[in-house]
Amino acid sequence: MLDKNIKPSTDSQDPVFALGRQLTIEYYNCGQDLLLSKDAVEKALLKGANDSGATIISSSFHKFEPQGVSGVVIIAESHFTVHAWPEHDYAAVDIFTCGDNIDLDVAIHSMEESFGAGRVVISSDQNRGLISPPARLKLDSKSKTVLDTIKDRNTLPISWKKAYGKQDPWGVLTSLDIYGCGPDIIRDAKMIGKFVKDLCETIEMKPFGNCQVVHFGEDEKIEGFSMTQLIETSLISGHFANATNTAYLDIFSCKFYEPRDVAHFAMSFFKGDHYKMQIALRQ
């Protein structure tokens, strides 16, 4: 939906052509742990660009802490870019080309194979830099910014805080799986209790009653501590699997907290290797 401040002009009837073409591709259910590696992600984009027939100029990739990878492959025809969210097994890829010699289908399928993606969605396919279009869009002088003129009322928020405010749910649930935890930490009931206390302070939640930490499991596959802590806005719970040194945490609250803050704090406390995260706004 175009803003009312954008007005068409029909002062030209010249043929239309575009300076470039841009695709955004969503790679879901990517191979386990692959997106944790900067080298693997860079290799996937370089292979996609090379397989497509693009002329590679250079590449630059960065690994974030505790996890996540962003990068760009500069090609003579423009660029391939990516940002990977390992916690969601998801990678967002952008291909921009100003040439006709790139086989985009080959590029998309090449990266699909490299990422081990279970589902691929082409979320947009745009012509960029339209030259001499028959109806050019002009901004009204009253417009404050370009973004103001193209804002759609249904645009999805890109932060959980904004999503929470927009949907006004009863509460937010974060399910967090932390892999490669420090063995001594998850086998120590006092340390687990300290984690809960420190987490409540970090996300400003008020505990109600004592934290319960109980050892369960005669079977080696499930042996480990389980934890529950009532909070005035709901509940924190978790299980710590000795066999795999994995922590499974659930934080549910009718008071908003930032899920990524929980993930980063828990990763640091348990000295985890990497994590997976699922978030739900509960109505």
Side-chain angles (χ1 to χ4, degrees), residues 82-137:
V82 64
H83 186 74
W85 282 264
E87 62 267 34
H88 300 298
D89 297 323
Y90 164 74
V93 172
D94 180 306
I95 302 176
F96 185 51
T97 174
C98 55
D100 294 327
N101 60 315
I102 294 179
D103 192 323
L104 294 171
D105 284 334
V106 169
I108 292 167
H109 289 301
S110 174
M111 290 183 286
E112 177 184 10
E113 181 179 350
S114 294
F115 288 139
R119 185 164 66 98
V120 180
V121 176
I122 299 175
S123 52
S124 69
D125 184 355
Q126 305 176 63
N127 289 321
R128 301 295 303 276
L130 296 180
I131 302 300
S132 296
R136 289 194 294 266
L137 297 178

Short mmCIF file of all heavy atoms in Angstrom, two decimals, residues 82-137:
data_model
loop_
_atom_site.label_atom_id
_atom_site.label_comp_id
_atom_site.label_asym_id
_atom_site.label_seq_id
_atom_site.Cartn_x
_atom_site.Cartn_y
_atom_site.Cartn_z
N VAL A 82 24.66 -12.10 3.40
CA VAL A 82 23.98 -13.07 4.27
C VAL A 82 24.04 -12.61 5.72
O VAL A 82 25.00 -11.95 6.13
CB VAL A 82 24.62 -14.48 4.15
CG1 VAL A 82 26.07 -14.46 4.65
CG2 VAL A 82 23.82 -15.53 4.92
N HIS A 83 22.99 -12.93 6.47
CA HIS A 83 23.07 -12.91 7.93
C HIS A 83 22.44 -14.20 8.42
O HIS A 83 21.33 -14.56 8.00
CB HIS A 83 22.36 -11.72 8.57
CG HIS A 83 22.58 -11.68 10.05
ND1 HIS A 83 23.80 -11.30 10.59
CD2 HIS A 83 21.82 -12.04 11.09
CE1 HIS A 83 23.74 -11.40 11.90
NE2 HIS A 83 22.55 -11.85 12.24
N ALA A 84 23.16 -14.90 9.29
CA ALA A 84 22.73 -16.21 9.78
C ALA A 84 22.36 -16.15 11.24
O ALA A 84 23.08 -15.55 12.05
CB ALA A 84 23.83 -17.24 9.57
N TRP A 85 21.22 -16.76 11.58
CA TRP A 85 20.76 -16.92 12.97
C TRP A 85 20.85 -18.41 13.32
O TRP A 85 19.89 -19.15 13.12
CB TRP A 85 19.33 -16.45 13.11
CG TRP A 85 19.11 -14.97 13.19
CD1 TRP A 85 18.99 -14.21 14.33
CD2 TRP A 85 18.94 -14.05 12.10
NE1 TRP A 85 18.77 -12.89 14.00
CE2 TRP A 85 18.73 -12.76 12.64
CE3 TRP A 85 18.95 -14.20 10.70
CZ2 TRP A 85 18.54 -11.64 11.85
CZ3 TRP A 85 18.76 -13.09 9.92
CH2 TRP A 85 18.56 -11.82 10.49
N PRO A 86 21.96 -18.88 13.87
CA PRO A 86 22.08 -20.31 14.20
C PRO A 86 21.03 -20.78 15.19
O PRO A 86 20.61 -21.94 15.15
CB PRO A 86 23.49 -20.42 14.81
CG PRO A 86 24.22 -19.23 14.30
CD PRO A 86 23.20 -18.14 14.17
N GLU A 87 20.60 -19.87 16.09
CA GLU A 87 19.61 -20.28 17.10
C GLU A 87 18.27 -20.64 16.49
O GLU A 87 17.44 -21.30 17.12
CB GLU A 87 19.43 -19.19 18.15
CG GLU A 87 18.91 -17.88 17.64
CD GLU A 87 20.00 -16.90 17.29
OE1 GLU A 87 21.08 -17.34 16.82
OE2 GLU A 87 19.79 -15.68 17.46
N HIS A 88 18.03 -20.20 15.25
CA HIS A 88 16.78 -20.51 14.56
C HIS A 88 17.01 -21.36 13.31
O HIS A 88 16.08 -21.55 12.51
CB HIS A 88 16.05 -19.22 14.18
CG HIS A 88 15.69 -18.36 15.34
ND1 HIS A 88 14.84 -18.77 16.35
CD2 HIS A 88 16.08 -17.11 15.69
CE1 HIS A 88 14.71 -17.81 17.25
NE2 HIS A 88 15.46 -16.80 16.88
N ASP A 89 18.24 -21.84 13.10
CA ASP A 89 18.60 -22.62 11.90
C ASP A 89 18.18 -21.88 10.63
O ASP A 89 17.68 -22.47 9.67
CB ASP A 89 17.94 -24.01 11.93
CG ASP A 89 18.42 -24.84 13.10
OD1 ASP A 89 19.61 -24.75 13.44
OD2 ASP A 89 17.61 -25.59 13.68
N TYR A 90 18.41 -20.56 10.61
CA TYR A 90 17.89 -19.71 9.53
C TYR A 90 18.98 -18.78 9.00
O TYR A 90 19.79 -18.24 9.77
CB TYR A 90 16.73 -18.88 10.08
CG TYR A 90 16.35 -17.70 9.22
CD1 TYR A 90 15.66 -17.87 8.02
CD2 TYR A 90 16.69 -16.41 9.61
CE1 TYR A 90 15.33 -16.78 7.24
CE2 TYR A 90 16.36 -15.32 8.84
CZ TYR A 90 15.68 -15.51 7.64
OH TYR A 90 15.36 -14.42 6.87
N ALA A 91 18.99 -18.60 7.68
CA ALA A 91 19.90 -17.66 7.04
C ALA A 91 19.13 -16.80 6.05
O ALA A 91 18.32 -17.30 5.27
CB ALA A 91 21.03 -18.40 6.33
N ALA A 92 19.39 -15.49 6.11
CA ALA A 92 18.77 -14.53 5.19
C ALA A 92 19.81 -14.12 4.16
O ALA A 92 20.86 -13.59 4.51
CB ALA A 92 18.27 -13.31 5.95
N VAL A 93 19.51 -14.36 2.89
CA VAL A 93 20.45 -14.09 1.81
C VAL A 93 19.87 -13.06 0.86
O VAL A 93 18.68 -13.07 0.56
CB VAL A 93 20.81 -15.38 1.04
CG1 VAL A 93 21.65 -15.07 -0.20
CG2 VAL A 93 21.57 -16.35 1.95
N ASP A 94 20.73 -12.17 0.38
CA ASP A 94 20.36 -11.13 -0.57
C ASP A 94 21.29 -11.25 -1.78
O ASP A 94 22.51 -11.28 -1.61
CB ASP A 94 20.52 -9.77 0.11
CG ASP A 94 20.16 -8.59 -0.79
OD1 ASP A 94 20.72 -8.50 -1.89
OD2 ASP A 94 19.35 -7.75 -0.37
N ILE A 95 20.72 -11.35 -2.96
CA ILE A 95 21.51 -11.34 -4.19
C ILE A 95 21.12 -10.11 -5.00
O ILE A 95 19.94 -9.91 -5.31
CB ILE A 95 21.27 -12.59 -5.05
CG1 ILE A 95 21.60 -13.88 -4.28
CG2 ILE A 95 22.11 -12.54 -6.33
CD1 ILE A 95 21.28 -15.15 -5.05
N PHE A 96 22.09 -9.30 -5.32
CA PHE A 96 21.85 -8.12 -6.15
C PHE A 96 22.77 -8.21 -7.36
O PHE A 96 23.98 -8.39 -7.21
CB PHE A 96 22.12 -6.84 -5.36
CG PHE A 96 21.77 -5.58 -6.10
CD1 PHE A 96 20.52 -5.44 -6.68
CD2 PHE A 96 22.68 -4.55 -6.21
CE1 PHE A 96 20.18 -4.27 -7.36
CE2 PHE A 96 22.34 -3.37 -6.88
CZ PHE A 96 21.09 -3.24 -7.46
N THR A 97 22.20 -8.12 -8.55
CA THR A 97 23.00 -8.24 -9.77
C THR A 97 22.59 -7.19 -10.78
O THR A 97 21.41 -6.88 -10.93
CB THR A 97 22.87 -9.64 -10.40
OG1 THR A 97 23.56 -9.65 -11.65
CG2 THR A 97 21.42 -10.02 -10.62
N CYS A 98 23.58 -6.64 -11.44
CA CYS A 98 23.31 -5.68 -12.51
C CYS A 98 23.69 -6.27 -13.86
O CYS A 98 23.85 -5.55 -14.85
CB CYS A 98 24.05 -4.37 -12.27
SG CYS A 98 25.83 -4.57 -12.05
N GLY A 99 23.87 -7.59 -13.90
CA GLY A 99 24.21 -8.27 -15.15
C GLY A 99 23.23 -9.37 -15.47
O GLY A 99 22.49 -9.84 -14.61
N ASP A 100 23.22 -9.79 -16.74
CA ASP A 100 22.32 -10.85 -17.18
C ASP A 100 23.00 -12.21 -17.25
O ASP A 100 22.38 -13.20 -17.64
CB ASP A 100 21.75 -10.52 -18.57
CG ASP A 100 20.86 -9.29 -18.54
OD1 ASP A 100 20.18 -9.08 -17.52
OD2 ASP A 100 20.85 -8.54 -19.55
N ASN A 101 24.27 -12.27 -16.87
CA ASN A 101 25.03 -13.51 -17.05
C ASN A 101 24.97 -14.43 -15.85
O ASN A 101 25.51 -15.53 -15.87
CB ASN A 101 26.49 -13.19 -17.37
CG ASN A 101 27.16 -12.41 -16.25
OD1 ASN A 101 26.58 -11.46 -15.74
ND2 ASN A 101 28.36 -12.81 -15.89
N ILE A 102 24.32 -13.98 -14.76
CA ILE A 102 24.25 -14.81 -13.55
C ILE A 102 23.02 -15.70 -13.60
O ILE A 102 21.91 -15.22 -13.87
CB ILE A 102 24.21 -13.93 -12.28
CG1 ILE A 102 25.53 -13.18 -12.12
CG2 ILE A 102 23.92 -14.76 -11.04
CD1 ILE A 102 25.58 -12.27 -10.91
N ASP A 103 23.21 -16.98 -13.32
CA ASP A 103 22.08 -17.93 -13.25
C ASP A 103 21.60 -17.96 -11.80
O ASP A 103 22.18 -18.63 -10.95
CB ASP A 103 22.52 -19.32 -13.70
CG ASP A 103 21.34 -20.26 -13.91
OD1 ASP A 103 20.37 -20.17 -13.13
OD2 ASP A 103 21.39 -21.09 -14.84
N LEU A 104 20.53 -17.22 -11.53
CA LEU A 104 20.04 -17.09 -10.16
C LEU A 104 19.51 -18.40 -9.61
O LEU A 104 19.66 -18.69 -8.42
CB LEU A 104 18.97 -16.00 -10.09
CG LEU A 104 19.47 -14.58 -10.38
CD1 LEU A 104 18.31 -13.61 -10.51
CD2 LEU A 104 20.43 -14.12 -9.29
N ASP A 105 18.86 -19.21 -10.45
CA ASP A 105 18.36 -20.50 -9.99
C ASP A 105 19.50 -21.38 -9.49
O ASP A 105 19.40 -22.03 -8.45
CB ASP A 105 17.61 -21.22 -11.12
CG ASP A 105 16.23 -20.65 -11.37
OD1 ASP A 105 15.66 -20.08 -10.42
OD2 ASP A 105 15.73 -20.78 -12.49
N VAL A 106 20.60 -21.38 -10.24
CA VAL A 106 21.76 -22.17 -9.83
C VAL A 106 22.31 -21.66 -8.50
O VAL A 106 22.65 -22.45 -7.62
CB VAL A 106 22.85 -22.13 -10.92
CG1 VAL A 106 24.15 -22.72 -10.40
CG2 VAL A 106 22.39 -22.89 -12.16
N ALA A 107 22.38 -20.34 -8.34
CA ALA A 107 22.89 -19.76 -7.10
C ALA A 107 22.04 -20.18 -5.91
O ALA A 107 22.54 -20.58 -4.86
CB ALA A 107 22.94 -18.24 -7.21
N ILE A 108 20.71 -20.07 -6.07
CA ILE A 108 19.78 -20.39 -4.98
C ILE A 108 19.90 -21.84 -4.57
O ILE A 108 19.99 -22.17 -3.38
CB ILE A 108 18.34 -20.05 -5.39
CG1 ILE A 108 18.17 -18.53 -5.53
CG2 ILE A 108 17.33 -20.61 -4.38
CD1 ILE A 108 16.90 -18.11 -6.22
N HIS A 109 19.92 -22.75 -5.55
CA HIS A 109 19.99 -24.18 -5.24
C HIS A 109 21.37 -24.58 -4.71
O HIS A 109 21.47 -25.48 -3.87
CB HIS A 109 19.63 -25.01 -6.47
CG HIS A 109 18.19 -24.94 -6.84
ND1 HIS A 109 17.18 -25.32 -5.98
CD2 HIS A 109 17.57 -24.51 -7.97
CE1 HIS A 109 16.01 -25.14 -6.56
NE2 HIS A 109 16.21 -24.64 -7.76
N SER A 110 22.40 -23.90 -5.18
CA SER A 110 23.75 -24.19 -4.67
C SER A 110 23.83 -23.88 -3.18
O SER A 110 24.33 -24.68 -2.38
CB SER A 110 24.78 -23.37 -5.43
OG SER A 110 26.07 -23.52 -4.86
N MET A 111 23.32 -22.71 -2.76
CA MET A 111 23.35 -22.34 -1.34
C MET A 111 22.39 -23.21 -0.53
O MET A 111 22.67 -23.53 0.63
CB MET A 111 23.04 -20.86 -1.18
CG MET A 111 24.16 -19.96 -1.68
SD MET A 111 23.86 -18.19 -1.41
CE MET A 111 22.62 -17.87 -2.69
N GLU A 112 21.27 -23.61 -1.14
CA GLU A 112 20.35 -24.53 -0.46
C GLU A 112 21.07 -25.82 -0.08
O GLU A 112 20.94 -26.33 1.04
CB GLU A 112 19.16 -24.83 -1.37
CG GLU A 112 18.19 -25.85 -0.78
CD GLU A 112 17.07 -26.21 -1.76
OE1 GLU A 112 17.17 -25.82 -2.94
OE2 GLU A 112 16.12 -26.88 -1.33
N GLU A 113 21.84 -26.33 -1.02
CA GLU A 113 22.59 -27.57 -0.77
C GLU A 113 23.68 -27.35 0.27
O GLU A 113 23.87 -28.17 1.18
CB GLU A 113 23.20 -28.09 -2.08
CG GLU A 113 23.97 -29.39 -1.92
CD GLU A 113 24.54 -29.89 -3.24
OE1 GLU A 113 24.18 -29.33 -4.30
OE2 GLU A 113 25.34 -30.85 -3.20
N SER A 114 24.40 -26.25 0.16
CA SER A 114 25.49 -25.97 1.10
C SER A 114 24.98 -25.78 2.52
O SER A 114 25.60 -26.22 3.48
CB SER A 114 26.26 -24.72 0.66
OG SER A 114 26.93 -24.94 -0.56
N PHE A 115 23.84 -25.10 2.66
CA PHE A 115 23.25 -24.86 3.98
C PHE A 115 22.51 -26.08 4.51
O PHE A 115 22.15 -26.12 5.69
CB PHE A 115 22.29 -23.68 3.95
CG PHE A 115 22.95 -22.33 3.81
CD1 PHE A 115 22.40 -21.36 2.97
CD2 PHE A 115 24.10 -22.03 4.50
CE1 PHE A 115 23.00 -20.12 2.84
CE2 PHE A 115 24.71 -20.80 4.38
CZ PHE A 115 24.17 -19.83 3.55
N GLY A 116 22.22 -27.06 3.65
CA GLY A 116 21.41 -28.20 4.07
C GLY A 116 20.02 -27.76 4.45
O GLY A 116 19.41 -28.31 5.38
N ALA A 117 19.49 -26.75 3.74
CA ALA A 117 18.21 -26.15 4.11
C ALA A 117 17.05 -27.09 3.83
O ALA A 117 16.99 -27.73 2.78
CB ALA A 117 18.01 -24.84 3.35
N GLY A 118 16.11 -27.15 4.77
CA GLY A 118 14.92 -27.97 4.59
C GLY A 118 13.82 -27.24 3.85
O GLY A 118 12.91 -27.86 3.29
N ARG A 119 13.89 -25.89 3.85
CA ARG A 119 12.86 -25.08 3.17
C ARG A 119 13.48 -23.79 2.68
O ARG A 119 14.25 -23.15 3.40
CB ARG A 119 11.70 -24.80 4.12
CG ARG A 119 10.52 -24.06 3.48
CD ARG A 119 9.28 -24.17 4.37
NE ARG A 119 9.44 -23.47 5.62
CZ ARG A 119 8.97 -22.23 5.84
NH1 ARG A 119 8.33 -21.58 4.89
NH2 ARG A 119 9.14 -21.65 7.02
N VAL A 120 13.14 -23.41 1.46
CA VAL A 120 13.67 -22.19 0.86
C VAL A 120 12.50 -21.34 0.37
O VAL A 120 11.61 -21.84 -0.31
CB VAL A 120 14.63 -22.49 -0.31
CG1 VAL A 120 15.16 -21.19 -0.91
CG2 VAL A 120 15.77 -23.38 0.14
N VAL A 121 12.51 -20.06 0.72
CA VAL A 121 11.46 -19.14 0.30
C VAL A 121 12.12 -17.93 -0.37
O VAL A 121 13.00 -17.30 0.23
CB VAL A 121 10.60 -18.67 1.49
CG1 VAL A 121 9.58 -17.62 1.02
CG2 VAL A 121 9.90 -19.85 2.15
N ILE A 122 11.70 -17.61 -1.59
CA ILE A 122 12.11 -16.37 -2.23
C ILE A 122 11.10 -15.32 -1.82
O ILE A 122 9.98 -15.28 -2.32
CB ILE A 122 12.17 -16.51 -3.77
CG1 ILE A 122 13.19 -17.59 -4.14
CG2 ILE A 122 12.56 -15.18 -4.41
CD1 ILE A 122 13.23 -17.91 -5.61
N SER A 123 11.49 -14.47 -0.88
CA SER A 123 10.54 -13.54 -0.28
C SER A 123 10.33 -12.28 -1.10
O SER A 123 9.31 -11.59 -0.94
CB SER A 123 10.97 -13.18 1.14
OG SER A 123 12.31 -12.72 1.16
N SER A 124 11.27 -11.94 -1.97
CA SER A 124 11.06 -10.80 -2.86
C SER A 124 11.94 -10.91 -4.09
O SER A 124 13.03 -11.50 -4.05
CB SER A 124 11.33 -9.47 -2.14
OG SER A 124 12.71 -9.32 -1.87
N ASP A 125 11.46 -10.36 -5.18
CA ASP A 125 12.18 -10.31 -6.45
C ASP A 125 11.86 -8.94 -7.06
O ASP A 125 10.75 -8.70 -7.51
CB ASP A 125 11.71 -11.44 -7.36
CG ASP A 125 12.48 -11.50 -8.67
OD1 ASP A 125 13.32 -10.61 -8.92
OD2 ASP A 125 12.24 -12.43 -9.46
N GLN A 126 12.86 -8.05 -7.02
CA GLN A 126 12.60 -6.66 -7.38
C GLN A 126 13.52 -6.18 -8.50
O GLN A 126 14.70 -6.55 -8.55
CB GLN A 126 12.83 -5.74 -6.18
CG GLN A 126 12.07 -6.10 -4.93
CD GLN A 126 12.46 -5.19 -3.79
OE1 GLN A 126 12.25 -3.98 -3.84
NE2 GLN A 126 13.04 -5.76 -2.75
N ASN A 127 12.98 -5.32 -9.35
CA ASN A 127 13.79 -4.56 -10.28
C ASN A 127 14.25 -3.30 -9.56
O ASN A 127 13.46 -2.61 -8.93
CB ASN A 127 13.00 -4.19 -11.52
CG ASN A 127 12.74 -5.39 -12.41
OD1 ASN A 127 13.59 -6.24 -12.57
ND2 ASN A 127 11.54 -5.47 -12.97
N ARG A 128 15.54 -3.00 -9.64
CA ARG A 128 16.10 -1.83 -8.96
C ARG A 128 16.62 -0.83 -9.98
O ARG A 128 17.21 -1.20 -10.99
CB ARG A 128 17.25 -2.25 -8.04
CG ARG A 128 16.88 -3.26 -6.97
CD ARG A 128 15.90 -2.71 -5.96
NE ARG A 128 16.38 -1.51 -5.32
CZ ARG A 128 17.19 -1.52 -4.26
NH1 ARG A 128 17.61 -2.65 -3.73
NH2 ARG A 128 17.58 -0.37 -3.70
N GLY A 129 16.43 0.43 -9.70
CA GLY A 129 16.93 1.48 -10.56
C GLY A 129 16.18 1.55 -11.88
O GLY A 129 16.76 1.45 -12.96
N LEU A 130 14.85 1.71 -11.80
CA LEU A 130 14.06 1.82 -13.02
C LEU A 130 14.40 3.13 -13.73
O LEU A 130 14.32 4.21 -13.14
CB LEU A 130 12.57 1.77 -12.69
CG LEU A 130 12.07 0.46 -12.07
CD1 LEU A 130 10.58 0.56 -11.79
CD2 LEU A 130 12.36 -0.72 -12.99
N ILE A 131 14.75 3.02 -14.98
CA ILE A 131 15.14 4.18 -15.77
C ILE A 131 14.02 4.54 -16.75
O ILE A 131 13.53 3.68 -17.48
CB ILE A 131 16.44 3.91 -16.56
CG1 ILE A 131 17.55 3.54 -15.58
CG2 ILE A 131 16.83 5.12 -17.40
CD1 ILE A 131 17.86 4.62 -14.56
N SER A 132 13.62 5.80 -16.73
CA SER A 132 12.57 6.32 -17.61
C SER A 132 11.29 5.50 -17.55
O SER A 132 10.76 5.07 -18.58
CB SER A 132 13.08 6.36 -19.06
OG SER A 132 14.15 7.25 -19.17
N PRO A 133 10.76 5.25 -16.34
CA PRO A 133 9.50 4.52 -16.27
C PRO A 133 8.34 5.40 -16.73
O PRO A 133 8.41 6.61 -16.62
CB PRO A 133 9.36 4.20 -14.78
CG PRO A 133 10.12 5.30 -14.11
CD PRO A 133 11.26 5.66 -15.03
N PRO A 134 7.27 4.81 -17.26
CA PRO A 134 6.15 5.60 -17.69
C PRO A 134 5.44 6.30 -16.54
O PRO A 134 4.78 7.30 -16.74
CB PRO A 134 5.20 4.58 -18.34
CG PRO A 134 5.79 3.25 -18.14
CD PRO A 134 7.15 3.41 -17.57
N ALA A 135 5.58 5.81 -15.31
CA ALA A 135 4.95 6.48 -14.16
C ALA A 135 5.95 6.51 -13.02
O ALA A 135 6.09 5.53 -12.30
CB ALA A 135 3.68 5.75 -13.74
N ARG A 136 6.67 7.60 -12.90
CA ARG A 136 7.65 7.72 -11.82
C ARG A 136 6.95 8.17 -10.54
O ARG A 136 6.02 8.97 -10.59
CB ARG A 136 8.75 8.71 -12.20
CG ARG A 136 9.69 8.18 -13.28
CD ARG A 136 10.94 9.06 -13.33
NE ARG A 136 10.63 10.41 -13.79
CZ ARG A 136 10.72 10.79 -15.06
NH1 ARG A 136 11.08 9.92 -15.98
NH2 ARG A 136 10.44 12.03 -15.40
N LEU A 137 7.44 7.68 -9.43
CA LEU A 137 6.89 8.09 -8.14
C LEU A 137 7.67 9.27 -7.60
O LEU A 137 8.90 9.25 -7.55
CB LEU A 137 6.96 6.92 -7.15
CG LEU A 137 6.13 5.69 -7.53
CD1 LEU A 137 6.35 4.60 -6.48
CD2 LEU A 137 4.66 6.04 -7.63
#
